[in-house]
């Protein structure tokens, strides 16, 4: 089975995949090859592309369709270079070096070609930079700047050709700005296996379309927003609620609260020029208060609550299966905090929605608690509360609009804000985030454990759950140094781990001698792999599976700062794990406010009637058929 | 129907004489013979067939493929129509020889959708050959050679004539050319070594095998051995398919088809170049005017800007649309031609257009994109008297 | 039919693929196109399901090839070649004659859904230009005067 899980999930043609650089032992005979780029000689592993080789010696070759996360396309042709002996220019991103070659990267022919190609791209790129979400963070704009473009040699389109697609709660598509780099296509079909966007038509009519060019809301988009993260221009962006949020802030009758998830705090610094992996959690609290939010709370609190509910649910399922021998119990239990993953499951594996934990995501639990427990406790009319969630995620914008998400009697969460959007709000107020003093969260919903923090990284929910469940079952701390459960950490697509339970406390005696088997997957292409195995009955000995829709987990979410790449995601993960270790409180079940809420409100404990009403949800068998609407 | 005559392809040959002779040879001898014949691909690019086959033969793989490119879509080309209807067994025979040479198990004939009517004829040939044990299991009683052929139809996409686009199409994708390297001889159909040859190339092979290298090399020039089929149309009395030795001049061709009052000849279709009659001493050969075989004659009454416009309109539709230079460059040139026609093109802008053309030729992803501005460039350069530039 | 068969499913005719690999996509689409004159929505989704690919991938292929279409067309599709030799030989007059006779413009379908008129690139009949295709039939040396007769054969 291990074999079925390892390896990449890419469906790209072999010829596009094989050119990705692999680590080769530089001393192995015949495995390296020499290349001379602009007179500088360098040895690289056989099959390295010209682009990768040039990077090694700090020679910059401009790119547009190239993206580190994606298979090679070689379509924009911006990266063309001269290779001695070749009649035509070659795309540096797609040319594998298999014997000694001599490359020149800025000859007159190359410079002319790049300028013309940029002029071609600008010709059909509708819009003005200063009225664009991606102003100053646009790869086309950067190219134009790099090449000193001062006029439109081949013209510039004056009227939009296409209507914007604003049907989705999450993703807005404006094909007038599309430069057909096909990154969204490769993201959607190959990286994520969702299969919503692809280049259609032909020739001058070529356009990225959905199936039958339907609105995004009518096809099987899971709202993960990974396409936005990889779009070089403003052709893809998220639905922006900031105007409504400003209105609420400016309205003195409204009590506006913000919950902040761990991943945005580990990434928002990038929007202010800080290196990736700089955590600014407490500075962000200061900024948020200065903007005018009435309260700033920590989503980690409900992450801890999620662990209590979801962990209990798991133990109950195990009990049903092992003690009551209930044949209908669904195991392994699968996490449900990633709304992109939930929708993926509803579309592509509708018969398996009962495997999903019924526990709401931390965002939605927070929403319910704010408008019930918190409102009651502080004597605030829930209708005056405007609940905003800072999330790394675009799918959260969809999740909060799900019709069932109003268990508090009101819309549980009013607005979802991405990391990028909050950065703009902060900048608009002239607030210099990196140089702010630290401030704490507000009470009482500002206490979260380190276990809640690591929800942001792939494997984090699993690790948090194990820290708690193991201790509840055995009465002992997990047997990992500094609570680091390494087998479920890291960026491998699918990870699995086993945890023997040598002895159990009385309540969970039936688990004594059992071995807990868990699996972690991130990115929906990996989710597909896992679910295919599950549906073939090959995962029946597993107990708990964590799936996150986005590569790297929430820290690589569709609402995070652009750009994204494996290195950036690694840095964010490090920031998250560091934050966990910097905290005293690192286990969800030890969160004192969680204890309070079970004492004061959910008095019958986790998975009781009231918690089921407020903290759990249900799912919809959507199926993948695209209906006429 | 009048029996065609010609030096090589249209010459007399006993059915399957080439294949039978090939099967008597070692694979290595067969490969050497094809290499030594100096046969070059007839699709236009002129890659030596023997080299291609040798690369595929030496590639390490269990499964290999032979593909016949019968997707001629170049405007003014119809030689395959003649070969398919009048010589259907000849190119299939060539394919089987190629399969034997590289040890392939499966072949595809990728036939342009417009020629669907001829599928029956080719199917019949395949059935006959299967009956004669010249196709299928253990061909020629050889235990190590089994090969069969499937016919696949195109669906109206010119770009699928490009070999990697053709392979994409065979795999069920949009016909978008691939990055090269890797080349099909290495990583072709479903990732396996694949040789893709033109119908005409496969038609030559049996003749070479049956009649020998020396016989074959008596035709043509030093660098362009053998003959070429030309599809001749346009302003002439006798349009049709002609087999001519390489080295024939444009002038000789015009006389042969009864064309007078000629202004220009478009050689190589939309991706070829436009030769003014003043250059009719030039030769059809890889070293002078290489061509897939389309020859379109234009008389003195024709507007060359109309010709350029026609071709660019063609490319605007037929470009696969994936790479920037071809997708975006063609509409720029098309707009440029229209400005030239209206007399609103400045000399500075014409310079920009020629620079754009150079970029398209150098930076497009595939051979078709690279040749898309050829007609425009040759017409602008050779027929300056057909347009006037403005100064504003 | 070598790549599958049409079967009844929920009262509708759908294509059942014999093989489940993507390489047979194009021939399957060609068969569906032949059966219906276009490739209906439900067939695109059904084929995608069977081959384990996404509907948008099928749609992207259908829109790439000019002989495949997801839009309903006439029973007979008349394609007039407009490549250079055909233009030189007067394909424009042939198109105008068809437009007049069928009372439609290029790209349109007659009200009775009988004929669709299209322009196409080279169809390999330049020695008999102007040439046209009516479905898979090739007709060369067409003059405006012949159009009545050509259409008559399909009436």
């Amino acid at each position: 089975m291990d074999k079925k899980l390892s390896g990449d999930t890419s469906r790209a043609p072999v010829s596009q995949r094989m050119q990705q650089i692999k680590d080769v032992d530089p001393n192995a005979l015949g495995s390296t090859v020499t290349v001379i780029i602009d007179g500088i000689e360098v040895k690289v592993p056989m099959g390295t592309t010209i682009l990768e080789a040039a990077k090694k010696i700090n020679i910059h070759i401009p790119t547009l369709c190239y993206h580190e996360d994606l298979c090679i396309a070689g379509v924009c042709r911006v990266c063309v270079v001269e290779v001695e002996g070749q009649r035509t220019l070659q795309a540096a991103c797609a040319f594998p070096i298999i014997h000694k070659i001599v490359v020149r990267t800025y000859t007159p022919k190359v410079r002319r070609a790049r300028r013309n190609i940029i002029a071609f791209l600008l010709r059909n790129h509708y819009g003005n930079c200063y009225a664009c979400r991606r102003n100053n963070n646009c790869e086309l704009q950067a190219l134009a700047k790099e090449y000193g473009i001062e006029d439109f040699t081949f013209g510039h389109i004056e009227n939009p050709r296409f209507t914007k697609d604003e049907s989705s709660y999450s993703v807005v598509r404006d094909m007038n700005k599309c430069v057909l780099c096909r990154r969204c296509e490769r993201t959607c079909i190959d990286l994520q296996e969702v299969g919503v966007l692809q280049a259609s038509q032909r020739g001058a009519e070529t356009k990225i379309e959905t199936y039958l060019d339907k609105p995004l809301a009518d096809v099987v988009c899971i709202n993960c927003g990974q396409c936005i993260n990889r779009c070089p221009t403003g052709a893809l962006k998220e639905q922006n609620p900031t105007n409504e949020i400003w209105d609420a802030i400016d309205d003195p009758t409204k009590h506006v609260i913000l919950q902040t998830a761990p991943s945005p705090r580990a990434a928002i610094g990038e929007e202010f020029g800080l290196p990736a992996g700089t955590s600014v959690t407490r500075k962000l609290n200061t900024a948020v208060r200065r903007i005018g939010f009435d309260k700033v709370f920590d989503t980690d609190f409900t992450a801890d609550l999620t662990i209590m509910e979801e962990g209990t649910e798991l133990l109950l399922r195990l009990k049903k299966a092992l003690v009551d021998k209930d044949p209908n119990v669904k195991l392994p239990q699968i996490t449900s905090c990633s709304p992109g993953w939930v929708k993926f499951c509803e579309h592509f594996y509708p018969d398996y929605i009962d495997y999903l934990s019924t526990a709401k995501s931390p965002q939605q639990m927070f929403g319910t608690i704010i408008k019930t427990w918190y409102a009651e406790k502080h004597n605030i009319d829930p209708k005056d509360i405007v609940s905003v969630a800072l999330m790394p995620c675009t799918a959260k914008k969809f999740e909060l609009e799900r019709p069932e998400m109003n268990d508090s009697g009101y819309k549980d969460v009013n607005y979802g804000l991405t990391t990028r959007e909050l950065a703009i709000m902060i900048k608009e107020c002239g607030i210099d985030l990196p140089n702010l003093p630290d401030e704490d969260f507000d009470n009482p919903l500002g206490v979260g454990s380190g276990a809640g923090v690591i929800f942001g990284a792939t494997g984090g929910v699993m690790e948090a759950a194990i820290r708690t469940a193991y201790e509840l079952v055995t009465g002992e701390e997990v047997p990992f140094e500094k609570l680091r459960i390494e087998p479920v950490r890291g960026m491998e697509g699918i990870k699995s781990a086993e945890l023997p339970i040598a002895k159990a406390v009385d309540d969970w005696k039936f688990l004594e001698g059992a071995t807990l088997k868990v699996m972690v997957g991130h990115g929906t292409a990996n989710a597909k792999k896992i679910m295919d195995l599950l549906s073939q009955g090959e995962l029946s000995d597993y107990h708990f599976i964590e799936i996150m829709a986005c590569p790297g987990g929430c820290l690589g979410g569709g609402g995070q700062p652009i750009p994204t790449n494996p290195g950036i995601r690694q840095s964010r993960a490090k920031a998250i794990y560091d934050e966990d270790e910097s905290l005293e409180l690192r286990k969800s079940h030890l969160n004192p406010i969680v204890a309070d809420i079970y004492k004061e409100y959910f008095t019958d404990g986790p998975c009781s009637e009231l918690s089921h009403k407020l903290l759990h949800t249900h799912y919809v068998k959507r199926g993948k058929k695209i209906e006429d609407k | 129907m009048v029996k065609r005559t010609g030096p090589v392809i249209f010459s007399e040959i006993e059915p399957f004489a080439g294949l039978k002779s090939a099967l008597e040879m070692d694979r290595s001898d067969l490969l050497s013979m094809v290499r030594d014949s100096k046969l070059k691909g007839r699709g236009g690019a002129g890659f030596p067939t023997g080299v291609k086959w040798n690369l595929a033969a030496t590639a390490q793989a269990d499964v290999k493929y032979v593909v016949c490119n019968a997707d001629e879509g170049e405007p003014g080309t119809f030689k395959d129509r003649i070969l398919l209807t009048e010589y259907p067994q000849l190119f299939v025979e060539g394919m089987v020889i190629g399969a034997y040479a590289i040890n392939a198990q499966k072949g595809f004939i990728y036939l342009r959708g417009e020629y669907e009517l001829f599928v029956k004829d080719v199917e019949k040939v395949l059935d006959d050959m299967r009956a004669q044990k010249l196709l299928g299991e253990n061909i020629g009683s050889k235990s190590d050679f089994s090969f069969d052929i499937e016919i696949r139809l195109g669906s109206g996409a010119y770009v699928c004539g490009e070999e990697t686009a053709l392979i994409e199409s065979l795999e069920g994708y949009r016909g978008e050319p691939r990055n090269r390297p890797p080349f099909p001889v290495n990583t072709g159909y479903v990732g396996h070594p694949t040789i893709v040859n033109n119908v005409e190339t496969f038609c030559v092979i049996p003749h070479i095998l049956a009649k020998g290298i020396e016989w074959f090399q008596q035709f043509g020039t030093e660098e362009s051995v053998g003959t070429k089929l030309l599809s001749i149309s346009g302003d002439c009395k006798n349009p049709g398919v002609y087999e001519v030795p390489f080295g024939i001049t444009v002038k000789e061709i015009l006389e042969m088809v009864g064309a007078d009052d000629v202004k220009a000849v478009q050689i190589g279709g939309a991706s070829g170049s436009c030769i003014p009659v003043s250059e009719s001493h030039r030769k059809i050969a890889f070293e002078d005017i290489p061509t897939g075989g389309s020859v379109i004659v234009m008389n003195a009454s024709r507007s060359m800007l109309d010709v350029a416009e026609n071709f660019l309109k063609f490319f605007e539709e037929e470009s696969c649309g994936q790479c920037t230079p071809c997708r975006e460059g063609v509409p720029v040139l098309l707009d440029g031609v229209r400005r030239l026609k209206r007399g609103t093109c400045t000399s500075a802008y014409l310079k920009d257009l020629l620079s754009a053309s150079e970029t398209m030729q150098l930076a497009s992803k595939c051979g078709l994109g690279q040749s898309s501005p050829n007609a425009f460039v040759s017409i602008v350069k050779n027929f300056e008297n057909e347009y006037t530039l403005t100064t504003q | 039919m070598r790549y599958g068969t049409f079967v009844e499913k929920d009262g509708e005719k759908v294509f059942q693929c014999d093989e489940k690999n993507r390489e047979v996509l194009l021939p399957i689409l060609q068969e569906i196109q032949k059966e219906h004159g276009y490739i209906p929505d439900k067939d695109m989704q059904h084929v995608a399901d069977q081959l384990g690919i996404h509907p948008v991938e099928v749609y992207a292929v259908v829109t790439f090839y000019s002989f495949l279409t997801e839009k309903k067309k006439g029973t007979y599709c008349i394609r007039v070649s407009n490549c250079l030799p055909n233009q030189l030989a007067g394909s424009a007059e042939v198109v105008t004659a068809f437009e007049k006779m069928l009372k439609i413009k290029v790209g349109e379908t007659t009200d009775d859904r009988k004929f669709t008129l299209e322009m196409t690139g080279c169809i390999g009949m330049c020695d008999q230009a102007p040439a046209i295709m009516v479905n898979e039939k090739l007709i060369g040396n067409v003059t405006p005067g012949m159009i009545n007769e050509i259409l008559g054969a399909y009436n």
Side-chain angles (χ1 to χ4, degrees), chain A residues 176-427:
Chain A
N176 295 298
K177 291 180 180 173
C178 175
V179 290
L180 289 166
C181 70
R182 320 260 296 246
R183 285 192 196 166
C184 58
E185 168 180 336
R186 284 175 281 153
T187 302
C188 195
I189 293 182
D190 195 46
L191 185 75
Q192 288 291 72
E193 263 290 356
V194 174
V196 164
L197 300 175
Q198 198 184 351
S200 300
Q201 317 299 334
R202 187 176 76 195
E205 300 288 310
T206 309
K207 185 181 155 220
I208 307 293
E209 287 185 25
T210 57
Y211 178 67
L212 289 172
D213 209 14
K214 286 172 184 276
L216 204 51
D218 294 353
V219 295
V220 294
C221 175
I222 63 165
N223 305 308
C224 68
Q226 291 298 312
C227 53
I228 301 177
N229 281 2
R230 289 170 185 78
C231 179
T233 71
L236 290 160
K237 59 180 182 181
E238 65 271 38
Q239 288 283 12
N240 186 352
T242 41
N243 284 340
E244 289 84 345
I245 295 170
W246 281 125
D247 287 348
I249 288 175
D250 296 341
D251 181 345
T253 67
K254 297 291 179 197
H255 183 72
V256 188
I257 69 102
L258 181 72
Q259 53 164 311
T260 75
S263 289
R265 307 184 315 226
I268 197 166
E270 295 163 35
E271 296 280 350
F272 294 85
L274 295 175
T278 314
S279 186
V280 294
T281 307
R282 281 148 52 82
K283 291 185 194 302
L284 191 62
N285 289 341
T286 316
V288 166
R289 285 201 187 94
R290 289 195 189 177
I291 286 176
F293 282 95
D294 294 302
K295 297 281 177 193
V296 53
F297 292 136
D298 189 348
T299 310
D300 294 347
F301 165 71
T302 36
D304 289 333
L305 197 59
T306 299
I307 289 300
M308 297 308 292
E309 293 292 330
E310 193 165 348
T312 307
E313 183 186 1
L314 174 66
L315 292 171
L316 290 173
R317 284 195 198 200
L318 287 171
K319 186 157 184 277
K320 266 191 203 155
L322 299 173
V323 181
D324 309 341
K325 310 280 179 205
D326 179 351
N328 296 320
V329 64
K330 302 290 188 224
L331 280 170
Q333 177 175 302
I334 309 176
T335 59
S336 61
C337 10
S338 164
W341 149 243
V342 167
K343 193 156 183 269
F344 185 88
C345 186
E346 290 175 327
H347 279 306
F348 296 102
Y349 299 92
D351 294 339
Y352 290 84
I353 56 174
D354 292 341
Y355 287 76
L356 294 174
S357 162
T358 57
K360 281 184 186 171
S361 68
Q363 164 180 294
Q364 292 306 128
M365 283 197 187
F366 215 105
T368 329
I369 285 174
I370 287 288
K371 293 195 180 178
T372 54
W373 185 60
Y374 171 81
E376 281 171 34
K377 214 173 155 85
H378 294 81
N379 210 11
I380 306 168
D381 187 342
K383 79 169 170 28
D384 291 331
I385 296 177
V386 176
S387 174
V388 184
L390 169 65
M391 291 288 148
C393 185
T394 47
K396 291 279 174 197
K397 292 173 189 274
F398 170 85
E399 185 186 29
L400 64 87
E401 298 287 349
R402 291 176 73 117
E404 62 273 21
M405 292 298 178
N406 53 9
D407 292 324
S408 61
Y410 301 87
K411 191 175 181 185
D412 292 335
V413 176
N414 297 87
Y415 303 109
L417 201 55
T418 62
T419 312
R420 300 187 287 263
E421 288 163 342
L422 180 63
I424 293 171
M425 292 179 78
I426 295 172
K427 285 179 187 170

Side-chain angles (χ1 to χ4, degrees), chain B residues 315-336:
Chain B
F315 278 117
E316 191 178 38
E317 251 181 51
E318 297 290 343
S319 159
C320 82
Q322 70 169 323
C323 83
T324 315
C326 174
R327 181 190 67 241
E328 303 293 338
V330 168
V332 166
L333 298 189
L334 183 56
D335 169 70

Side-chain angles (χ1 to χ4, degrees), chain A residues 455-527:
Chain A
F455 263 55
T458 167
V461 176
M462 184 58 70
E463 181 164 345
I466 293 174
R467 285 182 192 172
T468 289
Y470 188 86
E471 203 163 307
L472 292 184
V473 170
T474 65
E476 285 170 13
E477 191 167 83
V478 281
F480 289 93
E481 195 200 341
K482 295 188 178 171
L483 298 178
R484 293 174 187 159
I485 306 181
E486 293 289 352
V488 296
R489 292 189 179 188
M491 292 298 171
E492 208 181 317
I494 298 175
K495 295 158 282 194
S496 70
E498 295 185 6
L499 197 68
I501 296 169
K503 66 176 182 56
V505 298
D506 286 347
D507 279 356
W508 307 106
K509 214 56 186 179
F510 68 93
L511 285 173
E512 199 163 277
T515 296
L516 189 66
K517 284 189 83 171
V518 300
M519 184 173 277
V520 174
H522 59 120
T524 38
N526 287 313

Side-chain angles (χ1 to χ4, degrees), chain A residues 554-580:
Chain A
C554 303
L555 57 87
Q560 291 281 68
I562 297 169
T564 183
N565 62 41
I568 290 175
R569 294 194 293 273
Q570 285 284 9
S571 306
R572 291 176 190 162
K574 186 174 180 305
I576 281 173
Y577 286 115
D578 286 350
E579 184 167 339
D580 167 37

Side-chain angles (χ1 to χ4, degrees), chain A residues 516-536:
Chain A
L516 189 66
K517 284 189 83 171
V518 300
M519 184 173 277
V520 174
H522 59 120
T524 38
N526 287 313
K528 179 175 191 284
K529 238 176 169 180
I530 292 174
M531 294 308 286
D532 286 343
L533 285 178
L534 179 64
S535 57
Q536 290 153 19

Side-chain angles (χ1 to χ4, degrees), chain B residues 22 25-36 50 54 57-58 100-102:
Chain B
M25 298 166 78
D26 278 348
R27 288 201 162 96
S28 58
D29 293 341
L30 173 57
L31 286 167
S32 312
M33 183 162 176
V34 176
R35 188 191 61 214
D36 295 343
N54 204 42
T58 51
Y100 176 60
I102 69 161

